[in-house]
Amino acid sequence: MVTEHSEAADDTTALALKILVAGGFGVGKTTLVGAVSEIRPLRTEELLSEAGQLVDDTDGVDQKVTTTVAMDFGRITIRSGLSLYLFGTPGQDRFWFLWDELSQGALGAVVLADTRRLEDCFPAVDYFEHRRIPFVVAVNCFAGARAHGAHDVSRALDLDRGTPVVLCDARDRDSGKEVLIRLVEYAGRMHTARLLDSVG
């Protein structure tokens, strides 16, 4: 039986961390948030319109019929007392004004990448590098895409040394959870190192 005291103790020890899921248009951000979330994810998807055809590059994602216009939101419990709040960012340039708001207070980010359209994740990589927000690159392994190793992707993206690159399947809960765990571990090391530098 849980007492009021132990319930209060659980509330004070619970930690919720904010994580962004970013990347290019159609790379699988909504899919990843939906796959790992233990709550029904909030989605802000709209049908692609003819007007959007002038600005949205759908090469390589011809089957895509919707797009995120604000954000996706989900939650996952990593272990007792540790939950992650996931915010999937919109992929198109015209929605970038939302990124500054979404990134406030974020522990780190997952940059999803598609090796068929690797250049689409350059803006997200640049964004997080310039703001010193820890991130991992998660290569979403699409069917039919040529396989590339983590080292090759890291070199192609010219990532800072030590930035993790992991292979994943955005549709698979366990695969997505491993990406998030890797990010939390990496971001924890980065924040600790910066704290030690500031007092050293």
Side-chain angles (χ1 to χ4, degrees):
M1 182 172 154
V2 178
T3 65
E4 286 183 14
H5 174 73
S6 61
E7 282 179 347
D10 286 346
D11 287 345
T12 58
T13 57
L15 180 63
L17 303 173
K18 182 179 184 181
I19 301 293
L20 301 185
V21 180
F25 178 65
V27 77
K29 299 178 296 295
T30 298
T31 301
L32 177 66
V33 172
V36 299
S37 182
E38 62 201 18
I39 62 171
R40 185 177 177 191
L42 166 70
R43 293 190 169 133
T44 57
E45 289 201 305
E46 294 293 337
L47 290 171
L48 289 172
S49 65
E50 285 185 31
Q53 289 176 352
L54 301 173
V55 289
D56 294 332
D57 178 10
T58 56
D59 285 346
V61 286
D62 306 352
Q63 305 303 312
K64 187 169 175 61
V65 295
T66 62
T67 186
T68 299
V69 295
M71 66 174 182
D72 299 311
F73 174 77
R75 185 189 73 214
I76 180 173
T77 301
I78 296 294
R79 59 173 169 72
S80 178
L82 176 60
S83 295
L84 303 182
Y85 290 163
L86 308 174
F87 292 82
T89 64
Q92 302 98 307
D93 295 352
R94 68 184 188 275
F95 295 122
W96 269 57
F97 65 92
L98 295 168
W99 282 46
D100 288 336
E101 289 294 323
L102 288 174
S103 65
Q104 291 293 323
L107 174 78
V110 173
V111 175
L112 268 179
D114 177 353
T115 56
R116 300 169 302 177
R117 298 162 50 111
L118 199 56
E119 66 282 358
D120 288 1
C121 69
F122 278 127
V125 168
D126 288 344
Y127 182 90
F128 297 122
E129 282 183 346
H130 284 101
R131 286 158 183 81
R132 300 185 71 218
I133 297 173
F135 68 94
V136 300
V137 173
V139 179
N140 194 6
C141 298
F142 287 90
R146 194 168 141 228
H148 294 276
H151 180 71
D152 293 335
V153 171
S154 179
R155 212 170 56 214
L157 292 175
D158 193 26
L159 297 176
D160 290 342
R161 188 173 178 189
T163 302
V165 176
V166 294
L167 306 181
C168 75
D169 180 343
R171 301 165 299 179
D172 182 75
R173 178 179 171 82
D174 289 338
S175 181
K177 189 172 178 179
E178 282 302 313
V179 170
L180 296 172
I181 290 170
R182 186 81 179 270
L183 170 63
V184 170
E185 292 172 346
Y186 175 64
R189 289 195 306 270
M190 293 291 288
H191 286 294
T192 300
R194 289 173 188 168
L195 184 63
L196 291 174
D197 283 347
S198 69
V199 298

